[in-house]
Amino acid sequence: MTKFRELCGTLALLALLSAPWQAPAAEATAELRNAIAAQRALPRAPRLPRTAFLESRSLASVRLSPGGDYVAYLREQGESRSLFLLPTAGGKPRVLVARSQAEQLLWSRDGRWLFLRAPRSLDIVGADGRGGMRVPLGGSERRRVMKLDPSQPAAVLLRERVSTGNGERGRIVRMDAHGQRTLLREDARWIHDVALDARGRVVALARFEGDHDALHRVLPDGSLREVLHLEPTEKLDLLAAMPDGSLLMEGNPGSDAPGGNFRRVLRLAPDDTLQTIHEDPRHEADLDEIELDPRTQQPLVASHRSTVAATYGIGAAQATVSAIARKFPGRDIDVQVGDGPSARWLVAERASTLRDPRWWLYDPRNGDLRRVLDDPGIAAGMPKEAALARKVAIDYLASDGMRVRGFLLLPPGVDAARAPLVAHVHGGPINHFRAGYDGVAQFLANRGYVVFQSNFRGSNGHGRDYTFAAHGDYGNGRVQQDIVEGVRWLLAQGIGDAARVGIVGHSFGGYSTLLGLTFQPGLFKVGVAGSPPADLGHAMRWLVDAGDQGDLPDRSLKHMLATLSLDATDPATYARLHAQSPLANAALMHRPLLVMAGGADRTVAIREVTHYVATLKAAGRPVTFLVEPGGGHSPVAPVPREAYLFAMETMLQRHLGGPAPEPPGPRLRAYLRQNLRLAGPEFAAWARKPAPEE
């Protein structure tokens, strides 16, 4: 359920029109009609066990060496991971590190070292199996890995915060493969990113200026010259400093610049003029990933995944990337580039029906493809594609004429017109659903539900204008309307049974679930809300003041919310959000609701969730409450993750129909008995029996 991290964010909002609106009876697109017919004609998918959707992927990180001669990968091995090295010329992989907690690996530029980033440490390992050392992360210095140092043969950049007599200062430190440290920059302000020249000097940095971010050139004497002023929703990442003094970056700065609406690849010329190198040629999606030439640092491959996934070559790589894409029609590809005309490239084949990517080595000299990382141990447990639902990109017109984007998952072999329909709402809300695999949505589709995922206005991934199109109307207005109107549009197209419609989501998606049941009970018959804020104004104020985002030195959340007209420190905004909250309108709630939360959540305070559930209980409303003791914003351990899916399935099956859930095993039964704080009739069989004195 790693997708929770994408679906959950720092949260914010509420919304919905209480008066029902009927979407115009527009014809579905030909692609949608064809997709419905194609999925209906397929055999019914076998019912897969819940554990197949927990996204326990075998490979945590896969990276091609700069010379294209090795593929390094982290493979899950029980409670830890192992680091393997596979020669691309052929032969068997060998183990470099038998046990590691690393989540990400980086190659040194010279291809001789691997940097393994774990939550609390950085391990440095020789590609020949020799040497190695461990550097602690976190601690009193709050040390973090920033990125690979592109100016050195083998080094990374670290960001540190140190206490001084006058407060705190930030440091950017280079650490080479032997542990040698070099202080590159110290600053009283939070430095987001840096660019280094060929001699390893910091020549540009992005820094928080107290109420905005800014890009500065670093002059020879160390002083700064601001060259770009960034609004709170404008972001950039520095990619490289070129010999001519230009800077390569990705981001969406400069709303007045050509293509400024979308996240794109940019060049800041020596005269500080901003030029677009690449943006989505369809003008639909933000840049998702960028691949650089390992030697020159020039951008070569760009991927966009907010709508139909597409990958493009840049400059000299255009022909090669196009040739690769033709070999994978209808697929999402990710390309890693080897240095030199004879170096192999690494291609990841992805799709909404592939839980794990398929990995291929591509020879640009002759176009040959060779499958790698496909041994039974790696591929074990991955659901067959025929059992999963195709994710179809859709768009529809909202009642104010704006085109809203999203996705639809259609269960194979199911008549979409007679199937229950579930609106699956993403977290954030400054987040978005992508075109790839989604474990929760595929789980629901495998149980026979048509799943609708709206990238409502206010979502990112579709350009800054799309994000700002909400105009702060996260109360009883436009954002929730986009979700509601999308459901009604699908019903008007003959997709979904209008008598069996539910809504589910986590974080902001959970908040949207509460709104849907509160203000649209005629449409939504049941809801499942994970870690939902019940009063958005209070939740945002708490998050800024006391939550995980409250102690960040850039304080970016506070300024972001103000830009989105969601500043909960403003009394009028706070009052508006409170008045429109599910908590203030709890008397309107009468649909069955399942709420799940973590006892140590630092994004949505557990006491806020508990207070809302207690309010519903006192009013005699149908509610079930499942709490993971010590759990964070999203479940991580296997049993709590399975409990999340089981509880969701149980709730939806009872009220929307579908197959009865697979009975829980002993560990899951014990978990439910212990942690169902409040059990509705749907969960009576799994709740703890009260003691006589209770």
Side-chain angles (χ1 to χ4, degrees), residues 92 119 164 218 232 239 311 368 394 414 429-430 435 446 460 487 574 584 651:
K92 295 183 178 180
T164 66
V218 181
L239 300 176
T311 295
D368 286 348
I394 61 172
V414 170
I430 312 302
N446 186 253
N460 61 4
V487 172
Y574 183 89
M651 197 72 178

Side-chain angles (χ1 to χ4, degrees), residues 535-659:
D535 182 336
L536 195 60
H538 177 271
M540 288 189 299
R541 180 180 291 178
W542 179 85
L543 187 63
V544 171
D545 291 342
D548 276 344
Q549 281 70 38
D551 61 355
L552 295 181
D554 64 351
R555 308 292 287 184
S556 58
L557 176 63
K558 176 181 178 181
H559 299 280
M560 168 85 71
L561 294 177
T563 302
L564 295 170
S565 302
L566 286 171
D567 182 5
T569 63
D570 171 56
T573 300
Y574 183 89
R576 172 175 60 85
L577 293 174
H578 173 72
Q580 298 167 346
S581 69
L583 178 62
N585 293 279
L588 301 178
M589 171 72 79
H590 64 268
R591 287 296 187 186
L593 170 67
L594 165 65
V595 176
M596 295 180 280
D601 191 342
R602 295 286 299 164
T603 299
V604 177
I606 184 62
R607 65 176 179 269
E608 177 184 354
V609 184
T610 301
H611 176 57
Y612 176 69
V613 170
T615 301
L616 295 181
K617 179 183 178 182
R621 300 296 189 262
V623 60
T624 292
F625 191 29
L626 177 64
V627 177
E628 178 190 0
H633 191 52
S634 304
V636 175
V639 173
R641 286 191 294 158
E642 185 181 1
Y644 196 103
L645 293 184
F646 172 78
M648 178 183 293
E649 180 183 18
T650 299
M651 197 72 178
L652 295 179
Q653 189 274 334
R654 178 67 65 93
H655 298 282
L656 301 183

Side-chain angles (χ1 to χ4, degrees), residues 403-486:
R403 188 162 297 279
V404 180
R405 301 188 181 278
F407 295 99
L408 186 68
L409 286 85
L410 299 161
V414 170
D415 182 357
R418 299 185 179 185
L421 173 62
V422 174
H424 182 203
V425 186
H426 69 67
I430 312 302
N431 206 329
H432 65 282
F433 287 114
R434 292 163 176 83
Y437 179 84
D438 185 314
V440 173
Q442 287 289 356
F443 171 72
L444 294 174
N446 186 253
R447 271 40 180 177
Y449 300 102
V450 173
V451 182
F452 165 55
Q453 298 181 322
S454 175
N455 277 336
F456 46 82
R457 75 190 73 190
S459 304
N460 61 4
H462 301 278
R464 193 192 310 104
D465 291 349
Y466 196 84
T467 301
F468 273 94
H471 297 299
D473 195 7
Y474 297 105
N476 192 25
R478 272 293 3 151
V479 171
Q480 188 80 3
Q481 277 182 264
D482 283 352
I483 300 165
V484 170
E485 291 174 2

Side-chain angles (χ1 to χ4, degrees), residues 254-453:
S255 57
D256 297 330
N261 179 38
F262 291 98
R263 189 171 179 91
R264 61 210 189 276
V265 185
L266 299 156
R267 175 179 180 266
L268 188 72
D271 64 359
D272 295 337
T273 57
L274 199 60
Q275 304 163 351
T276 295
I277 296 176
H278 170 85
E279 64 174 320
D280 182 12
R282 305 162 300 177
H283 304 289
E284 292 180 355
D286 283 326
L287 179 71
D288 189 59
E289 285 186 284
I290 185 73
E291 176 75 7
L292 304 181
D293 185 299
R295 179 175 53 86
T296 68
Q297 299 297 293
Q298 289 286 346
L300 293 181
V301 187
S303 297
H304 306 262
R305 298 187 174 94
S306 303
T307 54
V308 177
T311 295
Y312 304 94
I314 301 174
Q318 289 184 33
T320 305
V321 174
S322 295
I324 295 173
R326 286 194 295 270
K327 293 179 179 290
F328 298 96
R331 297 298 213 182
D332 171 19
I333 60 170
D334 181 64
V335 181
Q336 298 180 36
V337 179
D339 179 23
S342 62
R344 291 170 176 84
W345 293 16
L346 183 65
V347 180
E349 174 195 359
R350 298 169 173 171
S352 61
T353 50
L354 287 175
R355 188 193 70 183
D356 303 344
R358 292 181 180 138
W359 296 94
W360 305 80
L361 284 171
Y362 178 79
D363 191 332
R365 296 170 297 183
N366 53 29
D368 286 348
L369 273 173
R370 175 163 57 90
R371 181 84 183 271
V372 293
L373 307 182
D374 58 343
D375 68 72
I378 291 176
M382 187 168 74
K384 295 184 181 302
E385 284 200 76
L388 300 179
R390 177 188 170 198
K391 182 181 280 191
V392 181
I394 61 172
D395 57 74
Y396 55 95
L397 286 178
S399 56
D400 63 353
M402 181 171 177
R403 188 162 297 279
V404 180
R405 301 188 181 278
F407 295 99
L408 186 68
L409 286 85
L410 299 161
V414 170
D415 182 357
R418 299 185 179 185
L421 173 62
V422 174
H424 182 203
V425 186
H426 69 67
I430 312 302
N431 206 329
H432 65 282
F433 287 114
R434 292 163 176 83
Y437 179 84
D438 185 314
V440 173
Q442 287 289 356
F443 171 72
L444 294 174
N446 186 253
R447 271 40 180 177
Y449 300 102
V450 173
V451 182
F452 165 55
Q453 298 181 322

